[in-house]
Amino acid sequence: YISSTAKLVQDLNVQADALADTIHEPEERDQPNPHKGSASTSKTFFIGNGDVYSHEHYISHFTHAHVDGVMLARGALIKPWLFSEITQNQSLDPSSTERLSYIEKFCRYGLEAWGSDEVGVGQTRRFLLEWLSFACRYVPVGLLEYLPPTINDRPPRYRGRDELETLMASDNYRDWIRISEMFLGPAHKDFRFEPKHKSNAYDTQ
């Protein structure tokens, strides 16, 4: 389906280019939001969006679907280093300490944006917990049986290579709160969190 749709878009681009050669092209300044420096504002770009979760998925989109670009969404929430994997054309296996540094940076940016008062800390914590509801899905490359993994893989619970890695793999929201407290201080004893993706967290009985 993606390949056939991409072929259709490419055919439309060819027709548009042919018309542009025979018909007076409109001025860019007359077009809504023209792309600066573009030769033709009538060109259509085909962007792929297929749950890219590795550099291999990224390359496959260009090779087989012939798209002009690829969007990264959930894959980058689970693996913030996905962009580095694509740039380096290899699977990366960051340690739990390296992954924790992403969380530390996220908290720092959150406090800079919303402030370090009670409201700012609360806002940062909630956005962090929403992110951790995705990040907990990551399974370290060193523990996988095959590559590349897919974004919809749901492996059984596992013990990580150290305690921190095991903690970061937990899908219990209470453990996400524990992680947030490493950088944002203790949460209120009555604090509860319900992620927008409710299936990604459970409460202990």
Coordinates of all heavy atoms in Angstrom, one line a residue, residues 53-57 79 85 90-93 138-150 153:
Y53 N 11.4 2.3 14.5 CA 12.0 1.9 15.8 C 13.5 1.5 15.7 O 14.1 1.2 16.7 CB 11.2 0.8 16.4 CG 11.4 0.6 17.9 CD1 11.3 1.6 18.8 CD2 11.6 -0.7 18.4 CE1 11.5 1.4 20.1 CE2 11.8 -0.9 19.7 CZ 11.8 0.1 20.6 OH 11.9 -0.1 21.9
S54 N 14.0 1.6 14.5 CA 15.5 1.3 14.4 C 16.0 2.0 13.1 O 15.2 2.4 12.2 CB 15.7 -0.2 14.3 OG 15.2 -0.7 13.1
H55 N 17.3 2.0 12.9 CA 17.8 2.5 11.7 C 17.5 1.7 10.5 O 17.3 2.2 9.4 CB 19.4 2.7 11.8 CG 20.1 1.3 11.9 ND1 20.1 0.6 13.0 CD2 20.8 0.6 11.0 CE1 20.8 -0.5 12.9 NE2 21.2 -0.5 11.6
E56 N 17.2 0.4 10.7 CA 16.9 -0.5 9.6 C 15.4 -0.2 9.1 O 15.2 -0.3 7.9 CB 17.0 -2.0 10.1 CG 18.4 -2.4 10.4 CD 18.5 -3.8 10.9 OE1 17.9 -4.7 10.2 OE2 19.1 -4.1 12.0
H57 N 14.5 0.1 10.0 CA 13.2 0.5 9.6 C 13.3 1.8 8.8 O 12.6 2.0 7.8 CB 12.3 0.7 10.8 CG 12.0 -0.5 11.6 ND1 11.9 -0.5 13.0 CD2 11.9 -1.8 11.2 CE1 11.7 -1.7 13.4 NE2 11.7 -2.6 12.4
K79 N 13.0 5.4 22.6 CA 14.4 5.4 22.4 C 14.8 6.8 22.0 O 14.9 7.1 20.8 CB 14.8 4.4 21.4 CG 14.6 3.0 21.8 CD 14.7 2.0 20.6 CE 16.0 2.2 19.7 NZ 16.1 1.2 18.6
E85 N 21.1 6.4 16.3 CA 21.2 5.2 15.6 C 21.1 5.3 14.1 O 21.8 4.7 13.3 CB 20.0 4.2 16.1 CG 20.2 3.7 17.5 CD 19.3 2.6 17.8 OE1 18.3 2.4 17.1 OE2 19.5 1.9 18.8
Q90 N 23.6 2.1 13.0 CA 23.8 0.9 13.9 C 22.9 0.9 15.1 O 22.4 2.0 15.5 CB 25.3 0.9 14.3 CG 25.7 2.0 15.2 CD 27.1 1.9 15.7 OE1 27.6 0.8 15.8 NE2 27.7 3.0 16.0
S91 N 22.7 -0.2 15.7 CA 21.9 -0.3 16.9 C 22.8 0.1 18.1 O 23.9 -0.4 18.2 CB 21.3 -1.7 17.1 OG 20.4 -2.1 16.1
L92 N 22.3 0.9 19.0 CA 23.0 1.3 20.1 C 22.5 0.7 21.4 O 21.3 0.3 21.4 CB 23.0 2.9 20.3 CG 23.5 3.7 19.1 CD1 23.4 5.2 19.4 CD2 25.0 3.3 18.9
D93 N 23.3 0.5 22.4 CA 22.9 -0.2 23.6 C 23.3 0.6 24.8 O 24.3 0.3 25.5 CB 23.5 -1.6 23.6 CG 23.0 -2.5 24.8 OD1 21.9 -2.1 25.3 OD2 23.7 -3.5 25.1
Y138 N 11.2 0.0 26.5 CA 12.4 -0.3 25.9 C 13.1 -1.6 26.5 O 13.1 -1.8 27.7 CB 13.4 0.8 26.0 CG 14.8 0.5 25.6 CD1 15.1 0.3 24.2 CD2 15.9 0.3 26.5 CE1 16.3 0.0 23.7 CE2 17.1 0.0 26.0 CZ 17.4 -0.1 24.6 OH 18.6 -0.4 24.2
V139 N 13.5 -2.5 25.6 CA 14.3 -3.7 26.0 C 15.7 -3.5 25.5 O 15.9 -3.3 24.3 CB 13.6 -5.0 25.4 CG1 14.4 -6.2 25.9 CG2 12.2 -5.1 25.8
P140 N 16.7 -3.6 26.4 CA 18.1 -3.4 25.9 C 18.5 -4.3 24.8 O 18.1 -5.5 24.9 CB 18.8 -3.6 27.2 CG 17.9 -3.3 28.3 CD 16.5 -3.7 27.8
V141 N 19.2 -3.8 23.9 CA 19.7 -4.6 22.8 C 20.4 -5.9 23.2 O 20.3 -6.9 22.7 CB 20.6 -3.8 21.9 CG1 21.3 -4.6 20.8 CG2 19.8 -2.7 21.2
G142 N 21.2 -5.7 24.3 CA 22.0 -6.8 24.8 C 21.1 -8.0 25.3 O 21.7 -9.1 25.6
L143 N 19.8 -7.8 25.5 CA 18.9 -8.8 26.0 C 18.0 -9.4 24.9 O 17.3 -10.4 25.2 CB 18.1 -8.3 27.2 CG 18.8 -7.7 28.4 CD1 17.8 -7.2 29.4 CD2 19.7 -8.7 29.0
L144 N 18.1 -8.9 23.7 CA 17.2 -9.3 22.7 C 17.7 -10.6 22.0 O 18.9 -10.8 21.9 CB 17.1 -8.2 21.6 CG 16.4 -6.9 22.0 CD1 16.5 -5.9 20.9 CD2 15.0 -7.2 22.4
E145 N 16.8 -11.4 21.5 CA 17.1 -12.6 20.8 C 17.4 -12.3 19.3 O 18.1 -13.1 18.6 CB 16.0 -13.6 20.9 CG 15.8 -14.2 22.3 CD 14.7 -15.2 22.4 OE1 14.2 -15.6 21.3 OE2 14.4 -15.7 23.5
Y146 N 16.8 -11.3 18.8 CA 16.9 -10.9 17.4 C 16.8 -9.4 17.2 O 16.3 -8.7 18.0 CB 15.9 -11.6 16.5 CG 14.5 -11.2 16.9 CD1 13.8 -10.1 16.3 CD2 13.7 -12.0 17.8 CE1 12.6 -9.7 16.6 CE2 12.4 -11.6 18.2 CZ 11.9 -10.5 17.6 OH 10.6 -10.1 17.9
L147 N 17.4 -9.0 16.1 CA 17.3 -7.6 15.7 C 16.8 -7.5 14.2 O 17.0 -8.4 13.4 CB 18.7 -6.9 15.7 CG 19.3 -6.7 17.1 CD1 20.8 -6.3 16.9 CD2 18.5 -5.7 17.9
P148 N 16.1 -6.4 13.9 CA 15.7 -5.3 14.8 C 14.5 -5.6 15.5 O 13.6 -6.3 15.1 CB 15.5 -4.1 13.8 CG 15.0 -4.8 12.6 CD 15.7 -6.1 12.5
P149 N 14.3 -5.0 16.7 CA 13.0 -5.1 17.4 C 11.9 -4.3 16.7 O 12.2 -3.4 15.9 CB 13.4 -4.6 18.8 CG 14.4 -3.5 18.5 CD 15.2 -4.1 17.4
T150 N 10.7 -4.6 17.0 CA 9.6 -3.8 16.5 C 8.9 -3.1 17.6 O 9.0 -3.5 18.8 CB 8.6 -4.7 15.7 OG1 8.0 -5.6 16.7 CG2 9.2 -5.4 14.6
D153 N 6.4 -5.0 20.0 CA 6.9 -6.2 20.7 C 6.5 -6.0 22.2 O 6.6 -4.9 22.8 CB 8.4 -6.4 20.7 CG 8.8 -6.9 19.3 OD1 7.9 -7.4 18.6 OD2 10.0 -6.8 19.0

